[in-house]
Amino acid sequence: MYNFKDIRDVHLELTTKCQARCPMCPRRINGGPMNPLIEITDIELDTFKKWFPTDFVRQLDSLFMCGNYGDPIMSQDCALILDYLKTTNPKIRLSMHTNGSARDTVFWKELARLDVRVVFGIDGLSDTHTFYRINTDFDRIIDNASQFIQAGGHAEWHMLIFQHNEHQIDECHRLSQQIGFKHFQIKHTTRFVDGKFHVLNDQGKTINILYPTEKSKQMTGKVTQYLSDVSPTIQCKAQKYKQIYVSADGTVSPCCWLDFNWILPKQETRIDYMDKIGVFPNLNNTSLENIFNSNFFNDIERTWTSDCLKECSKQCGSFDKLRAQFNEN
């Protein structure tokens, strides 16, 4: 696929901590009980330096903090790690995706000083935002974003669209411009089942039901049909951008979609991955360079020409453009 010296971009899950309970996040079961396979873990500065020594950091063009389960601002060493990256490699581009509902003004000004591009997930206005972003505070998010922008930070507003907030798209866009966000984007999701999504509490009881937009329904239908009818050509984004993904527990994979370490063992895509690849290399056991020398990445690439990994087919198949047409700027 590519070798150790080729890596230019790291997608990092800094922590599995998050105060939010977004129903479609795999961290919790429909926003209710915690996923029992997920460990609460945090990458500390000393661990980060061990995993990513200075020579490796200097070869990077960018590092993006997001992940599958946690929010980077919940990591206690988030600002320290970002400072280490910028001090070691002043030209590196730093960015993160966050719900923005935590930390103080000092923290947000520090992110601006370090020139971190921040994508805020804000899914509506004060009366609708927490339908999905449960346990977050809309007013606090807006205040944090404003403090960050006023300190010179580059902020973007990404909005997940549901039936309950689609009427607010234009108003959210106007508000983003008034505050000083550099970019506003809407996103539709295909994570609905049977046209709705039940939101649960800790006892597993339904407390709310989310409904998709018409575009979400169309998008889900087209992608599902394409998956069943076509053997797609893989256009691997990790390979294209020379990227790797590292989870908060040190597991390494080409991208976040292949981080199956905490996915339920009976899930179809995990079974497929274990049958064809069978390993979860981890930086706590070996170095990143050794992982590349083990041919782990090449073993994944070899599946593309014969019996393709189901997740590679789903996420980087030639039908990918179908999704893009539903997400508007």
Side-chain angles (χ1 to χ4, degrees), residues 21 27-36 200-204:
R21 301 178 61 157
R27 190 172 182 273
R28 288 182 176 268
I29 301 172
N30 291 32
M34 278 288 296
N35 182 332
L200 308 180
N201 61 15
D202 279 329
Q203 290 70 47

Side-chain angles (χ1 to χ4, degrees), residues 6-216:
D6 287 335
I7 302 171
R8 292 294 176 265
D9 181 36
V10 172
H11 179 182
L12 178 71
E13 178 180 58
L14 193 57
T15 181
T16 57
K17 296 177 182 177
C18 187
Q19 85 282 37
R21 301 178 61 157
C22 304
M24 293 178 179
C25 174
R27 190 172 182 273
R28 288 182 176 268
I29 301 172
N30 291 32
M34 278 288 296
N35 182 332
L37 297 180
I38 296 176
E39 299 178 29
I40 303 302
T41 186
D42 215 19
I43 300 175
E44 297 179 351
L45 178 60
D46 288 343
T47 300
F48 185 88
K49 288 181 177 180
K50 180 181 178 182
W51 291 355
F52 307 112
T54 54
D55 285 348
F56 176 73
V57 172
R58 291 189 182 110
Q59 81 180 46
L60 296 178
D61 293 329
S62 61
L63 182 140
F64 171 53
M65 293 182 174
C66 183
N68 289 328
Y69 306 108
D71 190 307
I73 67 172
M74 297 300 291
S75 167
Q76 64 176 3
D77 284 356
C78 178
L80 294 175
I81 289 171
L82 288 166
D83 183 70
Y84 164 70
L85 288 163
K86 203 69 176 180
T87 301
T88 305
N89 180 356
K91 295 182 179 180
I92 193 171
R93 298 188 303 273
L94 300 174
S95 58
M96 68 164 61
H97 199 135
T98 176
N99 64 54
S101 189
R103 308 303 291 254
D104 58 15
T105 300
V106 173
F107 175 83
W108 290 103
K109 288 184 176 180
E110 177 68 357
L111 293 196
R113 182 187 73 81
L114 293 169
D115 194 25
V116 182
R117 181 178 65 86
V118 179
V119 178
F120 290 82
I122 310 176
D123 303 331
L125 299 171
S126 59
D127 59 334
T128 60
H129 170 74
T130 55
F131 279 42
Y132 183 74
R133 303 277 174 175
I134 300 169
N135 279 5
T136 66
D137 185 322
F138 176 82
D139 291 332
R140 185 175 185 182
I141 296 165
I142 295 300
D143 184 61
N144 287 341
S146 298
Q147 294 288 342
F148 173 69
I149 291 168
Q150 289 167 16
H154 177 115
E156 300 183 12
W157 180 323
H158 287 193
M159 179 180 178
L160 278 174
I161 308 301
F162 305 90
Q163 280 190 19
H164 66 260
N165 67 0
E166 62 180 330
H167 65 288
Q168 295 178 330
I169 293 174
D170 289 343
E171 191 173 353
C172 287
H173 191 188
R174 285 194 295 272
L175 179 60
S176 75
Q177 293 175 320
Q178 292 170 9
I179 296 171
F181 283 87
K182 299 292 186 182
H183 182 65
F184 177 85
Q185 181 176 337
I186 66 172
K187 293 184 173 183
H188 297 268
T189 176
T190 59
R191 294 188 181 183
F192 286 95
V193 178
D194 298 328
K196 58 186 175 182
F197 195 97
H198 286 260
V199 181
L200 308 180
N201 61 15
D202 279 329
Q203 290 70 47
K205 295 182 179 179
T206 299
I207 57 174
N208 191 19
I209 299 177
L210 302 175
Y211 295 94
T213 63
E214 286 302 316
K215 282 193 175 183
S216 286

Side-chain angles (χ1 to χ4, degrees), residues 287-302:
S287 70
L288 187 58
E289 189 166 8
N290 285 341
I291 292 171
F292 271 86
N293 291 339
S294 72
N295 282 325
F296 166 69
F297 288 88
N298 291 329
D299 289 342
I300 291 174
E301 183 178 16
R302 276 191 284 270

Side-chain angles (χ1 to χ4, degrees), residues 272-296:
D272 177 66
Y273 175 90
M274 292 304 294
D275 286 344
K276 296 168 184 173
I277 307 300
V279 295
F280 296 108
N282 192 288
L283 291 173
N284 288 307
N285 305 322
T286 187
S287 70
L288 187 58
E289 189 166 8
N290 285 341
I291 292 171
F292 271 86
N293 291 339
S294 72
N295 282 325
F296 166 69

